[in-house]
Amino acid sequence: MSVLWCGNFSKLPFEPSMNTRLDLPELLAESETALWQAAAGDERRRAHAAAQATNDHRMYQLWRHRHERLMRPVAHADGRFGQPAALRAIGVRLVERAALVDYVRRHHITGRARDLLIMGFQGQRNPRRALLDEHRDYVLAVSSEVCVAHLLRQLGDHLGGRLLAEYGASYAESFATFCKRMQAGEAVAARADIPLAPQARRLQGLLSGTAFF
């Protein structure tokens, strides 16, 4: 695959075919299309979150509000690669925000163990409130993650989409290791302090613009 290095994003790999730019109304319209399509799709994780976002009016309005806040910097990003770079960085944050619920579901953690884990990350003592807040933020994060993947395709950044998918899998492994240490009493919950395996750290750097390809 041909890769182009350019301007302020010289540390990021980009495909030279990218030449599309979307304004804010277009970013939001494409995002809503992607969300509704995902809700009817067959990718279980994304379909479930997208359906929850679109089937509940209050959740849908909250998603629209938060997603617009995410998209405003993308709309104003400068240069040929500004928008893909901004979307990649947002994608990293969304992967990381969704990781806790993904971990709980993947490892079938229930009852008191689940409550303690989520309360640890939420910093709350009310297990029901912590669970509801975490689930809400998970639905919003995965719903926007769907849109970021779609927008990257619309902008021609297929490489960015693949790197984000790789990062999601790699980050999940590092996050699981950290959660197991936390459950064993060997670590304190802090999303910003998850020790990343070398591959996850490399991908995070690539997608955030802080490491060479």
Side-chain angles (χ1 to χ4, degrees), residues 17 31 72 96 109 128 133 152 190 192 209-210:
S17 60
S31 293
R72 285 189 178 279
E96 294 172 357
I109 300 171
R128 176 171 172 77
D133 287 351
L152 285 171
T210 59

Side-chain angles (χ1 to χ4, degrees), residues 114-115 118-119 124-134:
R114 176 201 62 199
D115 292 346
I118 291 177
M119 283 192 296
Q124 292 193 35
R125 294 186 177 182
N126 184 323
R128 176 171 172 77
R129 183 73 262 164
L131 184 60
L132 289 173
D133 287 351
E134 192 64 31

Side-chain angles (χ1 to χ4, degrees), residues 103-183:
Y103 172 78
V104 166
R105 291 179 174 175
R106 188 176 297 115
H107 294 270
H108 308 290
I109 300 171
T110 60
R112 184 62 176 166
R114 176 201 62 199
D115 292 346
L116 287 172
L117 184 64
I118 291 177
M119 283 192 296
F121 278 97
Q122 281 281 341
Q124 292 193 35
R125 294 186 177 182
N126 184 323
R128 176 171 172 77
R129 183 73 262 164
L131 184 60
L132 289 173
D133 287 351
E134 192 64 31
H135 179 261
R136 176 203 63 211
D137 289 347
Y138 173 79
V139 169
L140 297 174
V142 176
S143 295
S144 286
E145 183 185 309
V146 166
C147 302
V148 165
H150 173 78
L151 291 169
L152 285 171
R153 289 193 297 271
Q154 293 299 105
L155 293 171
D157 187 14
H158 304 288
L159 177 60
R162 289 194 294 273
L163 289 173
L164 271 176
E166 289 180 30
Y167 180 64
S170 188
Y171 183 81
E173 294 179 5
S174 294
F175 191 86
T177 299
F178 180 82
C179 284
K180 289 171 184 174
R181 289 184 56 222
M182 181 184 161
Q183 289 172 290

Side-chain angles (χ1 to χ4, degrees), residues 5 8-15 18 46 74 81-96 145 148-149 152-153 157-172 196-213:
W5 309 83
N8 293 332
F9 307 110
S10 60
K11 294 181 179 180
L12 294 173
F14 288 102
E15 296 163 298
M18 290 185 295
R46 291 183 170 184
V74 178
F81 302 119
Q83 289 194 322
L87 285 167
R88 289 179 179 197
I90 290 169
V92 166
R93 288 158 48 196
L94 296 172
V95 163
E96 294 172 357
E145 183 185 309
V148 165
L152 285 171
R153 289 193 297 271
D157 187 14
H158 304 288
L159 177 60
R162 289 194 294 273
L163 289 173
L164 271 176
E166 289 180 30
Y167 180 64
S170 188
Y171 183 81
L196 298 181
Q199 175 68 355
R201 190 181 306 111
R202 171 181 171 274
L203 288 166
Q204 185 191 61
L206 285 173
L207 290 161
S208 302
T210 59
F212 287 97
F213 188 63

